Amino acid sequence: MSKKVLVTGASRGIGYAIAEAFANRGYTVFATYRNTTDTLSQLPVTPVYCDVSDAESVDALFSQIGDVDILINNAGISQFGTLSDLSEADWDQMLNTNLKSVFLCSKAASRGMIAKKFGRIINISSVWGVVGGSCETHYSASKAGMIGFTRALAKELGPSGITVNCIAPGVIETEMNARLSAADKAALVDETPLGRIGTPADVAHAALFFAEAEFVTGETLIVGGGFGM
Ligand code: NDP
């Protein structure tokens, strides 16, 4: 029987590409959406509603789909602003969406994984979680938190046959970067040794690697064409 995969925030962008790549590889994919299922109806996946920042919503998700073999914590938000412009509400929304969600979903998924002595947890962090992004303090903190969480959980769950890894994308062409002007993008390409902006498929490729690697855990792989080194 094919392995069950849960991808959060799969209605578009990187999550959509990951859901598509795993479905094409023959996995049974559950893909969460929050606002729309329109895009997901084009893929051979099961769409499920979830607001990953909300504990009740995450409980309802796992009651609906049961145990999974592979969890990909992808859902996330970004916001640009200087520290003095950020409100406490901005901070809470960022940390709840990007980091508390990883705690909630990993906790729920790990129960079944521990029982089966097999599991893969793959967290989509960011290069800003590694090197820090100016005017994105709360985003960078949430993504750095994912890396610390990954390292700690890898140690805790390794003896149960579960690997926990992080992908830290650089600049990837999705709606998250819609605010960037053509000039901003050209400047980012200039800073990228491989000379282009990444695609969601580049990140999906790394997610497949972590799903299928048997002796790799606690790692953070930057998928950024050399950006931010
Ligand atoms: P998009 O904005 O294109 O997509 C984000 C996805 O997350 C959407 O499906 C959105 O669904 C979902 N989402 C947001 N908040 C919630 C929530 N509370 N509950 C459930 N789903 C939610 O972003 P990307 O595809 O670019 O980003 C995906 C991940 O990759 C994020 O974690 C991001 O931080 C990370 N990343 C992206 C980079 C980039 O350059 N694009 C670089 C580095 C990391 P909905 O709209 O329905 O809420």
Side-chain angles (χ1 to χ4, degrees):
M1 211 166 73
S2 72
K3 291 207 164 16
K4 264 171 85 175
V5 184
L6 173 63
V7 187
T8 67
S11 60
R12 61 171 191 263
I14 293 171
Y16 182 92
I18 292 174
E20 183 175 34
F22 277 76
N24 287 343
R25 192 83 138 220
Y27 289 95
T28 301
V29 178
F30 294 85
T32 81
Y33 67 91
R34 198 173 51 159
N35 291 313
T36 174
T37 51
D38 294 357
T39 47
L40 288 172
S41 62
Q42 298 157 29
L43 294 181
V45 304
T46 306
V48 247
Y49 171 83
C50 186
D51 175 349
V52 294
S53 66
D54 178 70
E56 280 182 20
S57 187
V58 171
D59 280 349
L61 166 70
F62 280 89
S63 304
Q64 199 180 334
I65 69 171
D67 292 341
V68 297
D69 301 293
I70 301 170
L71 166 67
I72 299 162
N73 285 309
N74 165 77
I77 53 171
S78 67
Q79 185 189 17
F80 199 74
T82 61
L83 180 62
S84 54
D85 284 339
L86 298 182
S87 66
E88 187 179 352
D90 291 332
W91 175 271
D92 288 344
Q93 192 191 7
M94 184 63 70
L95 272 288
N96 288 343
T97 306
N98 290 5
L99 188 57
K100 187 175 87 173
S101 61
V102 177
F103 157 72
L104 293 172
C105 293
S106 302
K107 185 174 173 182
S110 64
R111 286 187 208 109
M113 292 177 180
I114 290 167
K116 278 195 213 165
K117 289 250 171 208
F118 177 87
R120 301 280 182 261
I121 298 175
I122 302 165
N123 298 320
I124 309 301
S125 174
S126 164
V127 72
W128 291 152
V130 181
V131 301
S134 174
C135 298
E136 297 193 65
T137 48
H138 55 345
Y139 180 79
S140 301
S142 72
K143 295 299 184 178
M146 287 174 84
I147 293 171
F149 180 92
T150 297
R151 290 201 178 123
L153 195 62
K155 289 179 180 167
E156 187 175 318
L157 295 183
S160 298
I162 301 163
T163 67
V164 190
N165 289 291
C166 250
I167 297 171
V171 186
I172 307 294
E173 187 74 62
T174 69
E175 278 181 43
M176 189 170 271
N177 288 322
R179 68 179 171 77
L180 296 176
S181 66
D184 291 337
K185 284 186 184 169
L188 289 166
V189 169
D190 272 352
E191 284 179 56
T192 305
L194 288 181
R196 66 172 173 87
I197 290 200
T199 65
D202 290 321
V203 183
H205 187 247
L208 281 172
F209 165 74
F210 279 131
E212 293 171 3
E214 296 195 348
F215 200 55
V216 181
T217 196
E219 292 296 339
T220 297
L221 178 64
I222 298 180
V223 177
F227 176 83
M229 283 194 309

